[in-house]
Amino acid sequence: MSELPLKFDRQGLIPVVIQDDATNEVLMVAFMNDNALERTRESGYTHFYSRSRNTIWRKGEQSGHTQQVRGIFVNCEENSIMIRVIQQGEAACHEGYRSCYYRRLEDDNSYVTIAERIFDPQQVYTHAVGVKQEQAKDKEHISMDINHQV
Amino acid sequence: MSELPLKFDRQGLIPVVIQDDATNEVLMVAFMNDNALERTRESGYTHFYSRSRNTIWRKGEQSGHTQQVRGIFVNCEENSIMIRVIQQGEAACHEGYRSCYYRRLEDDNSYVTIAERIFDPQQVYTHAVGVKQEQAKDKEHISMDINHQV
């Protein structure tokens, strides 16, 4: 197999857009390192790199809402990736919406919610870990995964 | 007007996904700083931040293939943006394809081109600047705009 020509940034990361193969919705943006990309390709399910925890996580490992890879696409400059997925459980966003982009920014800087909530995050993440104490920890964990600032 | 709650990263940037409002294609990913976002909202046309040149550029300033904003959407964590646009000139990619994601990554690390080329970049960028010497410079400029690694 030839070497991948992808350009990871100074932190070894590359931005990844996830698009819904069924609806064409943009579901989320996250980052991968080369290992997360390798695991994604090997398993057929998306794995991302968490900058807050310096670890690789499999999307949906808590919620069960995994993403099955349908195709991986590379941009002109080979410095970003777009992946088309089959979204399991009908929601990619940990807030319970299909897409993370469920709010439109208005001229006055307010938000308008443009999507229906599919699940109640409290229910899903409570169920995933079983006890309430763990739930808070788990929700923070998920939130940190998606928060690329930390 | 209330303050925007968006979380820019340590470099003052936020990743932005551009989606075609007509076809739902993911056209590109780029970065904005707060000024680029402000100019985008004021003008109604996408502006990005070039990390290589430390400057803001208006998408299509050379090629004429501008992007008219139809809606700006914010993700759950407020650390990325998705913008739906009307793509002018039918191509977002400086390589002449509608989307920058015109190649699929195969298991053997080869690429398969999955889209038709809409314009010849040599023609478009030659026309834009008029002389051949300037064309090379301009093409580099465009390439650097899209290359988020440098």
Side-chain angles (χ1 to χ4, degrees):
Chain A
M1 203 197 297
S2 62
E3 191 78 6
L4 264 181
L6 293 178
K7 293 168 196 143
F8 294 87
D9 70 12
R10 290 183 196 94
Q11 286 78 47
L13 303 178
I14 193 164
V16 183
V17 190
I18 303 297
Q19 185 174 30
D20 193 314
D21 194 58
T23 66
N24 284 324
E25 282 167 281
V26 175
L27 297 177
M28 59 185 285
V29 167
F31 290 86
M32 288 184 181
N33 63 2
D34 56 354
N35 196 350
L37 178 59
E38 197 181 322
R39 288 206 213 171
T40 296
R41 297 177 77 190
E42 279 173 6
S43 68
Y45 286 86
T46 58
H47 290 66
F48 301 106
Y49 183 80
S50 165
R51 302 196 292 183
S52 56
R53 294 181 295 119
N54 294 322
T55 187
I56 291 169
W57 59 288
R58 177 178 157 140
K59 171 70 183 163
E61 61 188 2
Q62 265 81 21
S63 66
H65 299 164
T66 55
Q67 296 174 333
Q68 190 182 344
V69 174
R70 292 284 288 171
I72 300 178
F73 303 87
V74 175
N75 76 330
C76 44
E77 298 290 336
E78 300 176 303
N79 58 14
S80 73
I81 295 172
M82 191 269 282
I83 302 185
R84 290 180 64 90
V85 303
I86 298 172
Q87 176 65 52
Q88 315 287 348
E90 295 189 15
C93 181
H94 74 298
E95 289 291 342
Y97 297 91
R98 185 164 186 93
S99 162
C100 292
Y101 301 97
Y102 58 87
R103 294 172 296 184
R104 192 176 60 226
L105 178 63
E106 302 296 297
D107 287 343
D108 64 358
N109 284 350
S110 67
Y111 291 142
V112 171
T113 298
I114 51 139
E116 293 289 324
R117 200 164 222 158
I118 292 170
F119 69 78
D120 176 356
Q122 295 251 338
Q123 292 285 327
V124 166
Y125 295 110
T126 304
H127 180 76
V129 292
V131 290
K132 201 165 182 179
Q133 197 175 10
E134 284 296 303
Q135 176 200 349
K137 188 178 150 203
D138 191 52
K139 278 182 72 184
E140 179 195 23
H141 172 105
I142 295 286
S143 176
M144 285 168 74
D145 281 340
I146 296 170
N147 186 338
H148 313 302
Q149 299 308 311
V150 271
Chain B
M1 202 196 300
S2 62
E3 191 79 6
L4 265 182
L6 294 178
K7 293 168 196 142
F8 294 87
D9 69 13
R10 291 184 194 93
Q11 285 78 47
L13 303 178
I14 193 165
V16 183
V17 190
I18 303 297
Q19 185 175 32
D20 193 314
D21 194 58
T23 66
N24 284 325
E25 282 167 280
V26 175
L27 297 178
M28 57 186 284
V29 167
F31 290 86
M32 287 184 181
N33 62 2
D34 57 355
N35 196 349
L37 178 59
E38 197 181 325
R39 289 206 213 171
T40 297
R41 297 177 77 190
E42 279 174 7
S43 68
Y45 286 87
T46 57
H47 289 65
F48 301 105
Y49 184 79
S50 165
R51 301 196 293 181
S52 55
R53 295 181 294 119
N54 294 321
T55 186
I56 292 168
W57 58 289
R58 176 177 158 141
K59 171 72 182 163
E61 62 190 0
Q62 265 81 20
S63 66
H65 299 166
T66 54
Q67 295 173 333
Q68 191 182 344
V69 174
R70 292 283 288 169
I72 299 177
F73 303 88
V74 175
N75 76 331
C76 44
E77 297 289 335
E78 300 175 303
N79 59 13
S80 71
I81 296 172
M82 192 270 282
I83 302 186
R84 290 180 64 91
V85 302
I86 299 172
Q87 176 66 51
Q88 314 288 347
E90 296 189 14
C93 180
H94 74 297
E95 290 291 342
Y97 297 91
R98 186 165 187 95
S99 161
C100 291
Y101 302 96
Y102 58 88
R103 294 173 297 183
R104 192 176 61 227
L105 178 63
E106 302 297 297
D107 287 344
D108 64 358
N109 283 352
S110 66
Y111 291 141
V112 171
T113 298
I114 51 137
E116 292 289 324
R117 201 165 219 156
I118 291 169
F119 70 77
D120 175 356
Q122 293 250 339
Q123 291 284 326
V124 167
Y125 294 111
T126 303
H127 180 74
V129 292
V131 289
K132 203 164 182 179
Q133 198 178 9
E134 283 296 303
Q135 176 199 350
K137 187 177 149 204
D138 192 53
K139 278 183 70 182
E140 179 196 22
H141 172 105
I142 295 286
S143 175
M144 285 168 74
D145 280 341
I146 296 171
N147 186 339
H148 313 304
Q149 299 309 309
V150 273

